[in-house]
Amino acid sequence: MPNVIASIALLVWPLVTLALFRRLRPGTALVASLLAGYLLLPPLPAEFDPPLLPSLNKSTIPSLSVLFVALALRRLRPGDLVPRHPLMQVALAAFVLSPLMTVLRNDDPLAFGPLILPALRLIEIPGLLIQQWLLAVPFLMARAFLRDEAEHRMLLWALVAGGLAYTLPILIEVRLSPQLNTWIYGYFQHSFSQMVRGDGFRPIVFLYHGLWVAFFVAMTVLAALGLAREARGRRAVGLWIAGAGLMGVLVLAKSLAPLLYVLLLAPAILLAPRRVQLLGAAAMAALSLGYPLLKGADLVPQERLLEWAGDISADRAQSLGFRFDNEDVLLERVMERPAFGWGIWGRNLLYDRESGREITVTDGRWLVVIGVFGWVGFLAEFGLLAFPVLRLWIGAGRSPPGAATVTLAVILGMNLVDLLPNATLTPLTFLAAGAILGRVEAALGETGARRAPPPLRTVL
């Protein structure tokens, strides 16, 4: 169980956020609070669980802190949180409010032999709505504070700094086994057997799984390479060294998918024209939105993908085949309640009719969302994340984005693709999407399509 240090860390984080907003510019404070909270705070099961409200934990406390501190210090007005694009307004409303319809349409208990899954009750609506809102806070605040190339470059530098700071804890766990969370917070946050890979260990540090660590390092590698391509002199040398070192850390993290992403995307970051990079980012965003449709229409080349996985190892092919089988079964279940899904408490899964044992697994974030909140919830969440990249690509001819913005779009595209096989959705994903949307809205204002407000720093 979590110790007192874990509770103290969660309790003091609002004070840390307050100090950051008092000392730094709003955009820098936002990035520092969310990034440091993600990397350092204790993961579940460390939490405070107030009645009828969402859990206060590693994911929700930093979002709640940055929102209240920014409003209290008048760094932000409530109106600044509303996206200007009508499609984004609809997606945000659907994202926050769709749980209301999910609860209303799931008022029946489900029975699987001895297992009874409860009906959803009206008292659960406030907690679900607040939880969705807190998920969206990094997106909305990044849109308000991180609107230009300089702020996007700052975000990339923060990722690199975070990756370098995490290098020592990662190397400690690679050498000594994943123990830091146990030593500091008093518990191990996952299954230890999953952190064993070959004759070594996968680091987990203070995140949810070793895959999360590897994926974060992959983001930092691409950020370092994107900055290095534009840098000159000693700064460029330092960034090349940092990128190479982080690449070595990524190899030591022993997760294949993040390593493959970097091997595919790093050459594009280093060599391809910015328009080509942006096209690739838009393609990845479109794939994340269209995958469920392709899957439902049997247009995903599963057999070929299984053959490629088999060329790597039989275990990889078996794992991928298991994922595909689960996706097929669970998509059929989604079609029984397609609009708003099955709701929480595991109602979106399937169980053995005699024993009540769970017989399906949801690995991808898209499969979780579409099962719990239906097509409305899926299109709302993935629309919020994917639309900024697609709109950035569409408007690139009239208002070409800078190098940092394009690198950020590639990193976000990588994350969106990874949400198909995995559930690596973090505040950093929403942060990147919101920053790109802020750039899109600022560009529309500059070209006269919409009138942009004066920069927040000017107003303050």
PDB file of all heavy atoms in Angstrom, residues 327-349:
ATOM      1  N   GLU A 327     -10.152  -7.398 -30.481  1.00  0.00           N
ATOM      2  CA  GLU A 327     -10.768  -6.249 -31.141  1.00  0.00           C
ATOM      3  C   GLU A 327     -12.024  -6.671 -31.899  1.00  0.00           C
ATOM      4  O   GLU A 327     -13.057  -5.986 -31.841  1.00  0.00           O
ATOM      5  CB  GLU A 327      -9.761  -5.602 -32.103  1.00  0.00           C
ATOM      6  CG  GLU A 327      -8.641  -4.870 -31.408  1.00  0.00           C
ATOM      7  CD  GLU A 327      -7.623  -4.330 -32.387  1.00  0.00           C
ATOM      8  OE1 GLU A 327      -7.752  -4.596 -33.604  1.00  0.00           O
ATOM      9  OE2 GLU A 327      -6.689  -3.643 -31.939  1.00  0.00           O
ATOM     10  N   ASP A 328     -11.960  -7.798 -32.607  1.00  0.00           N
ATOM     11  CA  ASP A 328     -13.118  -8.258 -33.374  1.00  0.00           C
ATOM     12  C   ASP A 328     -14.306  -8.547 -32.455  1.00  0.00           C
ATOM     13  O   ASP A 328     -15.439  -8.125 -32.723  1.00  0.00           O
ATOM     14  CB  ASP A 328     -12.752  -9.524 -34.155  1.00  0.00           C
ATOM     15  CG  ASP A 328     -11.740  -9.258 -35.259  1.00  0.00           C
ATOM     16  OD1 ASP A 328     -11.669  -8.108 -35.718  1.00  0.00           O
ATOM     17  OD2 ASP A 328     -11.011 -10.195 -35.643  1.00  0.00           O
ATOM     18  N   VAL A 329     -14.036  -9.263 -31.374  1.00  0.00           N
ATOM     19  CA  VAL A 329     -15.123  -9.635 -30.462  1.00  0.00           C
ATOM     20  C   VAL A 329     -15.719  -8.399 -29.786  1.00  0.00           C
ATOM     21  O   VAL A 329     -16.949  -8.253 -29.692  1.00  0.00           O
ATOM     22  CB  VAL A 329     -14.599 -10.637 -29.410  1.00  0.00           C
ATOM     23  CG1 VAL A 329     -15.640 -10.865 -28.319  1.00  0.00           C
ATOM     24  CG2 VAL A 329     -14.232 -11.959 -30.066  1.00  0.00           C
ATOM     25  N   LEU A 330     -14.865  -7.498 -29.315  1.00  0.00           N
ATOM     26  CA  LEU A 330     -15.357  -6.334 -28.580  1.00  0.00           C
ATOM     27  C   LEU A 330     -16.032  -5.324 -29.489  1.00  0.00           C
ATOM     28  O   LEU A 330     -16.945  -4.603 -29.063  1.00  0.00           O
ATOM     29  CB  LEU A 330     -14.202  -5.689 -27.803  1.00  0.00           C
ATOM     30  CG  LEU A 330     -13.702  -6.534 -26.622  1.00  0.00           C
ATOM     31  CD1 LEU A 330     -12.444  -5.932 -26.020  1.00  0.00           C
ATOM     32  CD2 LEU A 330     -14.781  -6.680 -25.561  1.00  0.00           C
ATOM     33  N   LEU A 331     -15.601  -5.241 -30.765  1.00  0.00           N
ATOM     34  CA  LEU A 331     -16.312  -4.366 -31.702  1.00  0.00           C
ATOM     35  C   LEU A 331     -17.734  -4.878 -31.947  1.00  0.00           C
ATOM     36  O   LEU A 331     -18.673  -4.082 -32.097  1.00  0.00           O
ATOM     37  CB  LEU A 331     -15.550  -4.269 -33.018  1.00  0.00           C
ATOM     38  CG  LEU A 331     -14.568  -3.103 -33.156  1.00  0.00           C
ATOM     39  CD1 LEU A 331     -13.910  -3.112 -34.528  1.00  0.00           C
ATOM     40  CD2 LEU A 331     -15.255  -1.762 -32.920  1.00  0.00           C
ATOM     41  N   GLU A 332     -17.892  -6.178 -31.995  1.00  0.00           N
ATOM     42  CA  GLU A 332     -19.239  -6.729 -32.118  1.00  0.00           C
ATOM     43  C   GLU A 332     -20.086  -6.355 -30.911  1.00  0.00           C
ATOM     44  O   GLU A 332     -21.275  -6.042 -31.044  1.00  0.00           O
ATOM     45  CB  GLU A 332     -19.172  -8.252 -32.264  1.00  0.00           C
ATOM     46  CG  GLU A 332     -18.572  -8.730 -33.581  1.00  0.00           C
ATOM     47  CD  GLU A 332     -18.528 -10.245 -33.671  1.00  0.00           C
ATOM     48  OE1 GLU A 332     -19.048 -10.907 -32.740  1.00  0.00           O
ATOM     49  OE2 GLU A 332     -17.969 -10.771 -34.652  1.00  0.00           O
ATOM     50  N   ARG A 333     -19.479  -6.365 -29.732  1.00  0.00           N
ATOM     51  CA  ARG A 333     -20.229  -5.982 -28.540  1.00  0.00           C
ATOM     52  C   ARG A 333     -20.579  -4.501 -28.583  1.00  0.00           C
ATOM     53  O   ARG A 333     -21.675  -4.103 -28.166  1.00  0.00           O
ATOM     54  CB  ARG A 333     -19.417  -6.305 -27.289  1.00  0.00           C
ATOM     55  CG  ARG A 333     -20.124  -5.929 -25.988  1.00  0.00           C
ATOM     56  CD  ARG A 333     -19.516  -6.617 -24.809  1.00  0.00           C
ATOM     57  NE  ARG A 333     -20.118  -6.203 -23.546  1.00  0.00           N
ATOM     58  CZ  ARG A 333     -21.317  -6.614 -23.117  1.00  0.00           C
ATOM     59  NH1 ARG A 333     -22.038  -7.434 -23.850  1.00  0.00           N
ATOM     60  NH2 ARG A 333     -21.788  -6.208 -21.951  1.00  0.00           N
ATOM     61  N   VAL A 334     -19.673  -3.668 -29.068  1.00  0.00           N
ATOM     62  CA  VAL A 334     -19.953  -2.232 -29.175  1.00  0.00           C
ATOM     63  C   VAL A 334     -21.186  -1.985 -30.034  1.00  0.00           C
ATOM     64  O   VAL A 334     -22.006  -1.107 -29.731  1.00  0.00           O
ATOM     65  CB  VAL A 334     -18.732  -1.493 -29.766  1.00  0.00           C
ATOM     66  CG1 VAL A 334     -19.106  -0.067 -30.180  1.00  0.00           C
ATOM     67  CG2 VAL A 334     -17.598  -1.459 -28.753  1.00  0.00           C
ATOM     68  N   MET A 335     -21.357  -2.778 -31.099  1.00  0.00           N
ATOM     69  CA  MET A 335     -22.469  -2.548 -32.008  1.00  0.00           C
ATOM     70  C   MET A 335     -23.823  -2.835 -31.368  1.00  0.00           C
ATOM     71  O   MET A 335     -24.861  -2.466 -31.927  1.00  0.00           O
ATOM     72  CB  MET A 335     -22.285  -3.397 -33.269  1.00  0.00           C
ATOM     73  CG  MET A 335     -21.060  -3.018 -34.089  1.00  0.00           C
ATOM     74  SD  MET A 335     -20.906  -1.222 -34.368  1.00  0.00           S
ATOM     75  CE  MET A 335     -22.397  -0.910 -35.316  1.00  0.00           C
ATOM     76  N   GLU A 336     -23.842  -3.468 -30.211  1.00  0.00           N
ATOM     77  CA  GLU A 336     -25.103  -3.647 -29.493  1.00  0.00           C
ATOM     78  C   GLU A 336     -25.560  -2.338 -28.858  1.00  0.00           C
ATOM     79  O   GLU A 336     -26.772  -2.122 -28.704  1.00  0.00           O
ATOM     80  CB  GLU A 336     -24.945  -4.727 -28.424  1.00  0.00           C
ATOM     81  CG  GLU A 336     -24.617  -6.114 -28.975  1.00  0.00           C
ATOM     82  CD  GLU A 336     -24.433  -7.140 -27.880  1.00  0.00           C
ATOM     83  OE1 GLU A 336     -25.094  -7.001 -26.824  1.00  0.00           O
ATOM     84  OE2 GLU A 336     -23.617  -8.069 -28.040  1.00  0.00           O
ATOM     85  N   ARG A 337     -24.607  -1.474 -28.470  1.00  0.00           N
ATOM     86  CA  ARG A 337     -24.936  -0.140 -27.943  1.00  0.00           C
ATOM     87  C   ARG A 337     -23.931   0.848 -28.539  1.00  0.00           C
ATOM     88  O   ARG A 337     -23.033   1.345 -27.845  1.00  0.00           O
ATOM     89  CB  ARG A 337     -24.890  -0.128 -26.411  1.00  0.00           C
ATOM     90  CG  ARG A 337     -25.921  -1.077 -25.808  1.00  0.00           C
ATOM     91  CD  ARG A 337     -26.025  -0.961 -24.306  1.00  0.00           C
ATOM     92  NE  ARG A 337     -26.992  -1.930 -23.802  1.00  0.00           N
ATOM     93  CZ  ARG A 337     -27.335  -2.078 -22.520  1.00  0.00           C
ATOM     94  NH1 ARG A 337     -26.763  -1.315 -21.602  1.00  0.00           N
ATOM     95  NH2 ARG A 337     -28.221  -2.978 -22.153  1.00  0.00           N
ATOM     96  N   PRO A 338     -24.081   1.125 -29.827  1.00  0.00           N
ATOM     97  CA  PRO A 338     -23.013   1.830 -30.549  1.00  0.00           C
ATOM     98  C   PRO A 338     -22.856   3.297 -30.192  1.00  0.00           C
ATOM     99  O   PRO A 338     -21.734   3.816 -30.194  1.00  0.00           O
ATOM    100  CB  PRO A 338     -23.426   1.664 -32.013  1.00  0.00           C
ATOM    101  CG  PRO A 338     -24.919   1.473 -31.966  1.00  0.00           C
ATOM    102  CD  PRO A 338     -25.183   0.733 -30.704  1.00  0.00           C
ATOM    103  N   ALA A 339     -23.913   4.008 -29.910  1.00  0.00           N
ATOM    104  CA  ALA A 339     -23.817   5.460 -29.769  1.00  0.00           C
ATOM    105  C   ALA A 339     -23.047   5.877 -28.522  1.00  0.00           C
ATOM    106  O   ALA A 339     -22.085   6.659 -28.601  1.00  0.00           O
ATOM    107  CB  ALA A 339     -25.213   6.077 -29.763  1.00  0.00           C
ATOM    108  N   PHE A 340     -23.449   5.353 -27.345  1.00  0.00           N
ATOM    109  CA  PHE A 340     -22.871   5.813 -26.091  1.00  0.00           C
ATOM    110  C   PHE A 340     -22.234   4.701 -25.266  1.00  0.00           C
ATOM    111  O   PHE A 340     -21.846   4.920 -24.118  1.00  0.00           O
ATOM    112  CB  PHE A 340     -23.938   6.529 -25.262  1.00  0.00           C
ATOM    113  CG  PHE A 340     -24.460   7.773 -25.935  1.00  0.00           C
ATOM    114  CD1 PHE A 340     -25.671   7.753 -26.594  1.00  0.00           C
ATOM    115  CD2 PHE A 340     -23.718   8.940 -25.944  1.00  0.00           C
ATOM    116  CE1 PHE A 340     -26.163   8.892 -27.231  1.00  0.00           C
ATOM    117  CE2 PHE A 340     -24.188  10.088 -26.577  1.00  0.00           C
ATOM    118  CZ  PHE A 340     -25.413  10.059 -27.232  1.00  0.00           C
ATOM    119  N   GLY A 341     -22.090   3.516 -25.828  1.00  0.00           N
ATOM    120  CA  GLY A 341     -21.318   2.469 -25.192  1.00  0.00           C
ATOM    121  C   GLY A 341     -22.005   1.809 -24.011  1.00  0.00           C
ATOM    122  O   GLY A 341     -23.197   2.003 -23.740  1.00  0.00           O
ATOM    123  N   TRP A 342     -21.195   1.025 -23.281  1.00  0.00           N
ATOM    124  CA  TRP A 342     -21.676   0.205 -22.184  1.00  0.00           C
ATOM    125  C   TRP A 342     -21.400   0.791 -20.810  1.00  0.00           C
ATOM    126  O   TRP A 342     -21.875   0.262 -19.802  1.00  0.00           O
ATOM    127  CB  TRP A 342     -21.035  -1.181 -22.256  1.00  0.00           C
ATOM    128  CG  TRP A 342     -21.546  -2.015 -23.378  1.00  0.00           C
ATOM    129  CD1 TRP A 342     -21.044  -2.102 -24.648  1.00  0.00           C
ATOM    130  CD2 TRP A 342     -22.683  -2.880 -23.355  1.00  0.00           C
ATOM    131  NE1 TRP A 342     -21.785  -2.963 -25.404  1.00  0.00           N
ATOM    132  CE2 TRP A 342     -22.792  -3.469 -24.632  1.00  0.00           C
ATOM    133  CE3 TRP A 342     -23.602  -3.234 -22.371  1.00  0.00           C
ATOM    134  CZ2 TRP A 342     -23.810  -4.373 -24.950  1.00  0.00           C
ATOM    135  CZ3 TRP A 342     -24.603  -4.140 -22.694  1.00  0.00           C
ATOM    136  CH2 TRP A 342     -24.703  -4.698 -23.973  1.00  0.00           C
ATOM    137  N   GLY A 343     -20.591   1.834 -20.724  1.00  0.00           N
ATOM    138  CA  GLY A 343     -20.321   2.445 -19.431  1.00  0.00           C
ATOM    139  C   GLY A 343     -19.180   1.783 -18.668  1.00  0.00           C
ATOM    140  O   GLY A 343     -18.458   0.930 -19.195  1.00  0.00           O
ATOM    141  N   ILE A 344     -19.035   2.179 -17.425  1.00  0.00           N
ATOM    142  CA  ILE A 344     -17.913   1.753 -16.583  1.00  0.00           C
ATOM    143  C   ILE A 344     -18.216   0.440 -15.872  1.00  0.00           C
ATOM    144  O   ILE A 344     -19.166  -0.241 -16.205  1.00  0.00           O
ATOM    145  CB  ILE A 344     -17.579   2.862 -15.558  1.00  0.00           C
ATOM    146  CG1 ILE A 344     -18.817   3.222 -14.732  1.00  0.00           C
ATOM    147  CG2 ILE A 344     -17.037   4.084 -16.272  1.00  0.00           C
ATOM    148  CD1 ILE A 344     -18.557   4.226 -13.635  1.00  0.00           C
ATOM    149  N   TRP A 345     -17.376   0.096 -14.904  1.00  0.00           N
ATOM    150  CA  TRP A 345     -17.479  -1.124 -14.104  1.00  0.00           C
ATOM    151  C   TRP A 345     -17.237  -2.386 -14.939  1.00  0.00           C
ATOM    152  O   TRP A 345     -17.746  -3.454 -14.602  1.00  0.00           O
ATOM    153  CB  TRP A 345     -18.832  -1.232 -13.375  1.00  0.00           C
ATOM    154  CG  TRP A 345     -19.238  -0.051 -12.578  1.00  0.00           C
ATOM    155  CD1 TRP A 345     -20.399   0.638 -12.669  1.00  0.00           C
ATOM    156  CD2 TRP A 345     -18.485   0.593 -11.545  1.00  0.00           C
ATOM    157  NE1 TRP A 345     -20.428   1.678 -11.775  1.00  0.00           N
ATOM    158  CE2 TRP A 345     -19.257   1.681 -11.070  1.00  0.00           C
ATOM    159  CE3 TRP A 345     -17.226   0.374 -10.983  1.00  0.00           C
ATOM    160  CZ2 TRP A 345     -18.823   2.523 -10.074  1.00  0.00           C
ATOM    161  CZ3 TRP A 345     -16.793   1.244  -9.991  1.00  0.00           C
ATOM    162  CH2 TRP A 345     -17.589   2.284  -9.541  1.00  0.00           C
ATOM    163  N   GLY A 346     -16.487  -2.255 -16.050  1.00  0.00           N
ATOM    164  CA  GLY A 346     -16.190  -3.422 -16.858  1.00  0.00           C
ATOM    165  C   GLY A 346     -17.350  -3.925 -17.695  1.00  0.00           C
ATOM    166  O   GLY A 346     -17.288  -5.035 -18.236  1.00  0.00           O
ATOM    167  N   ARG A 347     -18.385  -3.127 -17.848  1.00  0.00           N
ATOM    168  CA  ARG A 347     -19.555  -3.542 -18.621  1.00  0.00           C
ATOM    169  C   ARG A 347     -19.235  -3.667 -20.107  1.00  0.00           C
ATOM    170  O   ARG A 347     -19.983  -4.324 -20.852  1.00  0.00           O
ATOM    171  CB  ARG A 347     -20.691  -2.535 -18.420  1.00  0.00           C
ATOM    172  CG  ARG A 347     -21.266  -2.504 -17.000  1.00  0.00           C
ATOM    173  CD  ARG A 347     -22.142  -1.272 -16.790  1.00  0.00           C
ATOM    174  NE  ARG A 347     -23.204  -1.204 -17.781  1.00  0.00           N
ATOM    175  CZ  ARG A 347     -24.437  -1.700 -17.612  1.00  0.00           C
ATOM    176  NH1 ARG A 347     -24.747  -2.313 -16.468  1.00  0.00           N
ATOM    177  NH2 ARG A 347     -25.345  -1.588 -18.546  1.00  0.00           N
ATOM    178  N   ASN A 348     -18.173  -3.051 -20.564  1.00  0.00           N
ATOM    179  CA  ASN A 348     -17.806  -3.120 -21.981  1.00  0.00           C
ATOM    180  C   ASN A 348     -17.091  -4.416 -22.341  1.00  0.00           C
ATOM    181  O   ASN A 348     -16.860  -4.681 -23.525  1.00  0.00           O
ATOM    182  CB  ASN A 348     -16.895  -1.944 -22.329  1.00  0.00           C
ATOM    183  CG  ASN A 348     -15.632  -1.898 -21.487  1.00  0.00           C
ATOM    184  OD1 ASN A 348     -15.704  -1.977 -20.265  1.00  0.00           O
ATOM    185  ND2 ASN A 348     -14.486  -1.754 -22.117  1.00  0.00           N
ATOM    186  N   LEU A 349     -16.741  -5.230 -21.356  1.00  0.00           N
ATOM    187  CA  LEU A 349     -15.998  -6.465 -21.602  1.00  0.00           C
ATOM    188  C   LEU A 349     -16.952  -7.658 -21.707  1.00  0.00           C
ATOM    189  O   LEU A 349     -18.153  -7.539 -21.452  1.00  0.00           O
ATOM    190  CB  LEU A 349     -14.987  -6.691 -20.475  1.00  0.00           C
ATOM    191  CG  LEU A 349     -13.974  -5.563 -20.250  1.00  0.00           C
ATOM    192  CD1 LEU A 349     -13.091  -5.884 -19.065  1.00  0.00           C
ATOM    193  CD2 LEU A 349     -13.146  -5.319 -21.506  1.00  0.00           C
TER     194      LEU A 349
END
